[in-house]
Amino acid sequence: MVTIAFAVILILSTILSTILDMHLYDLSFTQSLHFSLKLEGGTREMIAVSALITGLVASFFLDYRLSKKDSTEKQS
């Protein structure tokens, strides 16, 4: 469930930033989405990628821990 929440928040924040860029820079939605998702060398792409990977690993870990806790409680 945590992984699904992570994915939903990631998608919604991407769409929100795309809509804001669309209104600020007078671009179409697809142009703005392309600029939002395109990582260039000067944007510190490793920071963004490492944050995404860390969030995904943390959500998988939390999902595993919560499912393990639920299964031990059901057995008791």
Side-chain angles (χ1 to χ4, degrees), residues 18-37:
T18 301
I19 290 172
L20 289 174
D21 285 347
M22 193 173 81
H23 288 293
L24 287 174
Y25 300 114
D26 292 327
L27 298 171
S28 69
F29 182 79
T30 55
Q31 286 176 328
S32 182
L33 184 63
H34 173 73
F35 288 132
S36 294
L37 296 179

Side-chain angles (χ1 to χ4, degrees), residues 1-12 55-56 59-60 63:
M1 193 65 174
V2 177
T3 307
I4 294 171
F6 175 76
V8 167
I9 289 171
L10 181 66
I11 291 169
L12 289 177
L56 192 59
S59 65
F60 281 141
D63 271 342

Side-chain angles (χ1 to χ4, degrees), residues 50-75:
S50 64
L52 286 173
I53 291 172
T54 303
L56 192 59
V57 168
S59 65
F60 281 141
F61 176 72
L62 286 172
D63 271 342
Y64 173 73
R65 203 172 80 188
L66 289 173
S67 67
K68 188 175 175 180
K69 181 181 174 184
D70 287 343
S71 66
T72 58
E73 286 178 0
K74 287 181 182 178
Q75 289 177 358

